Structure formats: C-alpha cells, structure tokens
Amino acid sequence: MTSQALHQRFSKEKNYQPFFVIPFSSQRKYSAVSFCDFGTIYLGASQFIFSKLDQKIKDKIQFYTSKGYRVLCIGYTPTIINENRRVNDLKCIGFLILSDIIRKDAKETLDYFRKQDVQIKIISGDDPSTVSAIARRCHLLDYEKYIDVSSLSDEEIKEAVEKYTIFGRVSPQQKKNNDNNPSRKQPYCGYDR
C-alpha cells in the first residue's frame, strides 16, 4: 500500500543510478538505496532507522501520529553502503505523511461485532498511536488502550493481550505466532496491514 501511494504521488526520476538497494521489509520497517557520488537515503519508521533523533523532530512525528497519520522519515548519510545495515550518522531530512482511507462501513462493522460480544483487537505493524487515532475515528471502544510490542518478549505480549486493544509495531513473526496460538480463547477480529 505504501509503495503504491508513493508511486501515485511522485514521478520516477532517472538522475541517479542505484549502487546498492535494501528493499523494504515489514520486519525491518525501512528501505534504503545508495548512490555513487551522493550517499544513501533511508525511508522508514523513525525508531527503526535513527539511533538518535532531535526532540523537535520526535515531537513533530508524535503530533502527526496522534492525528492518525503514518509518518515515514527520510534519512540521509553521505556513506555509501554495500550491505544490509543501518548507519549511525543518519540525518533526518524530511517526512512523508500518509493518511489511511477508512472504509465507509468500518463503524457499522465494528458495531456489529460489538453487538455479537466479539472482543476486537487490532494488530498492526504501524505506530500504535497512529492506529489508535484511526480506531477512534471508527468509534472502536478502548481505542486509547494501545501498546508498542516491538520490544516485548513473547511472555510480555501474552500478558498485554488482557490489557490492550491495539497492538502496534507488530512484526510478521509476532503476527504468525498469534495465528498459531491454540490458547487464544476469544473470537478475533482485527485490522491487519
């Protein structure tokens, strides 16, 4: 979805020849491309591409995510890479602010499941505050109960399931573990991107 949105908005320029490319991965949550005589551009979630970030930039990211926007950061380094790795001297040079389109029937769908006594949990790879803001617009109950699971252990995730409605920064492996969990007792309905 993100790549489609970027292709629709931005035209392709052929000014630089890529030297090395790190394709986007939902596990990594970033992509990168190195160009000879220019450097490397990273695109992804701030917490996954920057080792440190200025507080003003963090505040701006938080402002947009709290409004339900997805924020992709653009990082630059003059370093040319030739392997799949992050660099430490990455500087934030911009943001891409993306808005998700909410289906017209989202509120009605959530209302239906609520009337059927289905406990709704949202599992997403996106920033949990972004997902929470979108869930609020859909009138999901307990939208404010969200957690970033990127640094939680499997045991901590099991404990969090009882307390939270929205699980953000979920890796593909964590989603797979959830799918294979035979101890899950309640029905599940999730928004999963």
Side-chain angles (χ1 to χ4, degrees), residues 96-147:
L96 292 175
I97 311 298
L98 303 171
S99 176
D100 284 304
I101 298 169
I102 298 173
R103 294 188 344 203
K104 292 179 183 178
D105 64 347
K107 182 184 179 307
E108 290 77 18
T109 302
L110 293 177
D111 287 343
Y112 170 80
F113 282 113
R114 189 167 34 252
K115 288 174 185 171
Q116 302 301 316
D117 290 326
V118 174
Q119 184 180 17
I120 300 170
K121 304 282 185 179
I122 299 178
I123 298 171
S124 174
D126 289 333
D127 186 295
S129 60
T130 298
V131 181
S132 174
I134 293 169
R136 177 173 40 92
R137 294 198 323 243
C138 296
H139 304 277
L140 177 69
L141 294 179
D142 298 325
Y143 66 85
E144 72 283 358
K145 295 180 180 176
Y146 61 87
I147 188 168

Side-chain angles (χ1 to χ4, degrees), residues 119-121 142 145 147 155-167 181 183-186:
Q119 184 180 17
I120 300 170
K121 304 282 185 179
D142 298 325
K145 295 180 180 176
I147 188 168
E155 198 57 43
E156 290 169 322
I157 291 172
K158 287 177 187 175
E159 292 172 15
V161 166
E162 300 302 320
K163 296 184 213 172
Y164 297 97
T165 302
I166 295 169
F167 301 84
N181 183 354
S183 67
R184 196 168 60 205
K185 296 175 185 167
Q186 297 186 342

